[in-house]
Every structure is written in structure tokens, then in C-alpha cells.
């Protein structure tokens, strides 16, 4: 199935502790149905000091389920994603505005 959300998309979080926050997708894992959004779902990871890094408590963005994310359209509102054929290319479009993404 084609990906409705891709790396680089700006999304809004629909549920959870970061509900309503916006961010950009930095990576997507389609097999696990999860994505990592920059600045959202942060967790503290304790790392050991090494020759290259200081170590200590580092904040890390954790994966969020794709069902809890919604794409932002040009008006800044959450929208669902649809697919249509333009010529011989399959393109994603925002359901609220009908505009191609």
C-alpha cells in the first residue's frame, strides 16, 4: 500500500501527551506502522560516557503510531490523505482542500 505519511511531512499529533503539537516527520517505519516526529514524544535516555560522547541524560524522540498523526494542509488544519491519478502519476492530495501534496 502507498504511504500516506512520508519523511519530511508536517503533521499534527491527535492523541497522547503531545496532543495538538506540530512537527516534521524525521523517519517512518512502515512495517511497525510508526513514525518519529521531531520534538514530540520525548523520553530521557541514560547513556554511558565514551571517548566520543559526554554521556548522561539525553532526550530522544520515540516512535508514534501513524494512526495518531494527521497531515497538515496549507491552511494549517489537520486533513486526511487521498490518492488520485494525475496523468499517469499517482499523487497524494489533502481531502480538506483537494490540493496535491
Amino acid at each position: 500500500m502507498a504511504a500516506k505519511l512520508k519523511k519530511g511531512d508536517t503533521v499534527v499529533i491527535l492523541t497522547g501527551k503531545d496532543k495538538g503539537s506540530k512537527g516534521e516527520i524525521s523517519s517512518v517505519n512502515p512495517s511497525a506502522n510508526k513514525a518519529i516526529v521531531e520534538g514530540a514524544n520525548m523520553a530521557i535516555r541514560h547513556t554511558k560516557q565514551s571517548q566520543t560522547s559526554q554521556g548522561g541524560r539525553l532526550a530522544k524522540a520515540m516512535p508514534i503510531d501513524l494512526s495518531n498523526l494527521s497531515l497538515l494542509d496549507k491552511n494549517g488544519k489537520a486533513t486526511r490523505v487521498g490518492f488520485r491519478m494525475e496523468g499517469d502519476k499517482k499523487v497524494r492530495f489533502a481531502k480538506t482542500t483537494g490540493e496535491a501534496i
Side-chain angles (χ1 to χ4, degrees):
M1 190 177 117
K4 294 190 176 194
L5 298 175
K6 296 182 178 182
K7 179 179 176 178
D9 287 346
T10 304
V11 294
V12 63
I13 298 173
L14 301 175
T15 60
K17 66 178 183 178
D18 293 320
K19 179 179 180 178
S21 64
K22 299 170 184 162
E24 189 174 309
I25 295 179
S26 59
S27 69
V28 178
N29 184 356
S31 61
N33 207 34
K34 293 186 181 281
I36 295 176
V37 179
E38 293 175 4
N41 199 24
M42 301 300 281
I44 300 295
R45 288 286 169 247
H46 298 77
T47 58
K48 195 172 185 179
Q49 184 176 358
S50 67
Q51 284 185 333
T52 57
S53 66
Q54 176 64 32
R57 299 175 50 169
L58 301 176
K60 180 181 179 186
M62 300 304 286
I64 304 173
D65 201 87
L66 290 176
S67 64
N68 297 332
L69 301 175
S70 181
L71 191 72
L72 286 177
D73 62 4
K74 64 174 182 171
N75 301 330
K77 298 177 97 177
T79 181
R80 292 177 294 150
V81 178
F83 292 96
R84 66 178 173 218
M85 298 298 289
E86 288 185 0
D88 55 349
K89 290 188 79 173
K90 185 177 183 181
V91 296
R92 298 183 301 158
F93 73 97
K95 293 264 187 162
T96 54
T97 61
E99 185 178 305
I101 299 168

